[in-house]
Amino acid sequence: MKLYLDPGHGGSDTGAQGIGLNEKNINLDIALRIRSILTSQYEDVTVRMSRTDDSTKSLTERTNEANDWGADYYLSIHCNSFDGSAQGYEDYIHSSLSDSSTTADYRDTMHNEITKVNQLRNRGKKKANFHVLRETTMSALLTENGFIDNADDAELMTDPEWRQTVAQGHVNGLAKAFNLQEKEDAGTLYKVVAGSFQAKKNAENRMKDLQSHDIEAYIMSVSVSGKQWYRVQAGAFAKWKNAEKRLQQVKDAGVHDAYITREDS
């Protein structure tokens, strides 16, 4: 599968701005993580990116490059902005396409996998006449991964683990949509995080609650921005699908903000 991966904006075009963040930087970070996971974890995947650094590139240059290369799929990574009050995730296919089109089928799979893990409000599946959706000759999707000017969404964006999880959600969608095959030994662990607390007592209570539901759980001490946190971990797995099953068990036990992190050996 040939994926053209497009981190939106870049260089002189910062994209949306808010709460000390530039959209171009968030887009690039997530896209680089998507490429890393795909190329290290899956067979027969080639990724070409519109940019791999903070460089300026026109929309026409991006779509022409993807078309000339003969990409199988065009994936454009973005963040949103409004007035500080809106928040959440949404994605777009071109407005001319029907809900029964191949592009819509791919989008449905991508949307389901991304929203499973991104901890954002689900704003739904949408259509628009964006250049990268209109001028591409292959199926194309544009994802809007939160509102950069919303305090809650922006706080998530500053967390590299969240950006990794969002990247993994995109990869999960691609893997299902295009039937990608995992490499035999990828050397990766997927860890289910069931809460992080500054008070150890709160972490202990969460651990005991999970154990009462017959879910393996233990506490790890981590330092984030110079502050001590107690993280409740509910298992580590070599395969994403096993971590995903555990994540669902944890959510069924009432921990709705649990998520999966990826750690390479």
Side-chain angles (χ1 to χ4, degrees):
M1 194 268 278
K2 295 169 68 174
L3 173 70
Y4 191 88
L5 183 56
D6 176 28
H9 310 286
S12 60
D13 178 10
T14 62
Q17 295 178 299
I19 316 185
L21 299 174
N22 288 326
E23 181 192 354
K24 64 177 183 177
N25 298 329
I26 303 299
N27 298 343
L28 180 60
D29 185 85
I30 292 172
L32 288 170
R33 293 170 186 271
I34 291 172
R35 183 182 68 172
S36 176
I37 300 170
L38 277 173
T39 56
S40 64
Q41 304 290 317
Y42 289 90
E43 303 281 0
D44 301 321
V45 180
T46 305
V47 180
R48 185 166 184 175
M49 295 182 64
S50 61
R51 63 185 182 95
T52 57
D53 56 18
D54 186 19
S55 55
T56 303
K57 197 167 195 175
S58 72
L59 294 175
T60 299
E61 286 175 316
R62 298 173 197 233
T63 52
N64 283 350
E65 193 171 78
N67 292 340
D68 291 344
W69 184 47
D72 297 309
Y73 197 56
Y74 190 108
L75 177 59
S76 192
I77 307 299
H78 286 259
C79 302
N80 227 327
S81 68
F82 186 57
D83 64 357
S85 63
Q87 62 185 124
Y89 169 86
E90 59 195 25
D91 46 40
Y92 290 85
I93 60 174
H94 192 254
S95 51
S96 66
L97 296 170
S98 74
D99 290 336
S100 60
S101 65
T102 298
T103 299
D105 286 343
Y106 289 153
R107 185 272 314 274
D108 291 347
T109 300
M110 295 289 293
H111 186 94
N112 290 341
E113 293 303 315
I114 294 167
T115 56
K116 278 182 185 178
V117 299
N118 66 4
Q119 301 172 258
L120 293 170
R121 176 190 167 195
N122 187 349
R123 295 172 59 88
K125 296 174 280 190
K126 302 184 178 183
K127 299 179 182 180
N129 189 32
F130 298 144
H131 176 97
V132 298
L133 304 179
R134 183 183 66 247
E135 300 301 327
T136 42
T137 57
M138 71 293 301
S139 291
L141 178 72
L142 185 147
T143 65
E144 294 277 9
N145 297 279
F147 282 74
I148 203 166
D149 58 350
N150 176 272
D152 292 332
D153 285 7
E155 183 177 5
L156 288 173
M157 291 177 192
T158 62
D159 183 355
E161 287 191 357
W162 179 83
R163 298 193 300 271
Q164 184 71 28
T165 299
V166 168
Q168 184 69 60
H170 282 72
V171 171
N172 295 344
L174 291 166
K176 288 194 175 182
F178 292 92
N179 194 30
L180 303 181
Q181 301 301 308
E182 285 188 78
K183 292 180 180 179
E184 285 299 316
D185 182 17
T188 298
L189 277 180
Y190 300 104
K191 298 180 178 181
V192 179
V193 177
S196 296
F197 306 89
Q198 287 192 284
K200 189 174 183 180
K201 181 67 174 177
N202 293 336
E204 290 172 345
N205 289 339
R206 173 63 56 80
M207 179 183 68
K208 291 175 182 177
D209 183 55
L210 290 171
Q211 289 173 343
S212 72
H213 288 85
D214 294 322
I215 296 173
E216 170 196 6
Y218 49 93
I219 298 171
M220 298 185 68
S221 178
V222 297
S223 179
V224 179
S225 300
K227 294 183 179 179
Q228 188 81 3
W229 289 81
Y230 297 96
R231 177 173 294 166
V232 180
Q233 187 170 309
F237 305 87
K239 290 188 176 293
W240 173 270
K241 63 181 180 181
N242 294 333
E244 196 172 33
K245 289 178 183 177
R246 174 58 56 82
L247 177 65
Q248 190 57 55
Q249 292 174 338
V250 170
K251 289 187 174 184
D252 289 344
V255 185
H256 302 295
D257 59 350
Y259 60 96
I260 299 171
T261 66
R262 174 176 176 265
E263 183 178 291
D264 295 319
S265 60

